[in-house]
Amino acid sequence: MKLYHCQGARSLRCVWALEELSLDYELETLQFPPRVVDKAYKEVNPLGTVPCLIDVDAMMTESAAICEYLGVKYGPTPLAVTPDEPDYGAYLNWLHRSDATLTFPQTLVFRYSALEPEDRRQPQVVEDYRKWFLGRWRSVEAGLEGRDYLCAGRFTMADICVAYALYFANTLGITEAMTPNVEAWWGRLTAREGYKRALARE
């Protein structure tokens, strides 16, 4: 199994999941953005994005989907919530919300505040999508009310995937995301040995 990764990118979700599962894998860390820096990478992943997981005949490029895949294929594991559990729907919803709703607006903040040349940066876009992210991030604070983790009464792949959005928010200086329930949850997550190993692998 091989994972293509860039430091600090969404592929961190996959590194963390692999470390939590204690799976053997090869990690290839590329410079960001790989589609620009390493043209040969498109022979591996035509999208030129990270992550890219190669596992026997499977080639996957969506970070939340990779986490879901690993939890099912290499389970049973408490990191995955199964269809017979009451929180199965909530689990899938958090997994997909992590990218479709939470990380998406952050990518626009990142692009138009840091990646584009100075003359193409768009402060209004940055401000608008920062607010968009924070509006949707409130669901995480609310979802953690009275809970240690997002669903199923335990740490799962959903926590890994949603937590990356907080990691990225910290990188972007969106400090308002660190609300009380979120801060306590983040402390629990970052104390995990799997998280520490993932950062060390980075």
Side-chain angles (χ1 to χ4, degrees), residues 93-167:
N93 204 51
W94 282 119
L95 276 176
H96 294 280
R97 183 180 299 181
S98 71
D99 232 12
T101 301
L102 298 176
T103 313
F104 163 69
Q106 293 178 314
T107 62
L108 291 166
V109 172
F110 183 42
R111 176 173 181 174
Y112 288 105
S113 67
L115 289 184
E116 291 286 350
E118 287 284 350
D119 63 331
R120 286 181 48 82
R121 293 186 185 180
Q122 301 288 336
Q124 188 63 57
V125 171
V126 171
E127 183 60 22
D128 288 348
Y129 280 92
R130 178 191 178 99
K131 288 178 180 176
W132 182 346
F133 164 70
L134 286 169
R136 284 146 183 78
W137 183 254
R138 284 198 291 269
S139 67
V140 181
E141 174 69 13
L144 288 166
E145 185 64 39
R147 298 183 178 197
D148 287 342
Y149 301 103
L150 289 170
C151 58
R154 63 182 187 270
F155 174 80
T156 70
M157 292 292 188
D159 294 288
I160 289 175
C161 289
V162 174
Y164 174 75
L166 181 60
Y167 174 95

Side-chain angles (χ1 to χ4, degrees), residues 43 82 90 134 159 168 184 196:
E43 296 175 15
T82 57
L134 286 169
D159 294 288
F168 198 18
K196 293 175 184 177

Side-chain angles (χ1 to χ4, degrees), residues 173-198:
I174 308 177
T175 56
E176 304 96 312
M178 197 65 82
T179 49
N181 291 332
V182 166
E183 185 173 11
W185 170 70
W186 182 244
R188 286 187 286 275
L189 301 190
T190 56
R192 294 184 64 85
E193 291 304 315
Y195 177 79
K196 293 175 184 177
R197 288 195 302 271

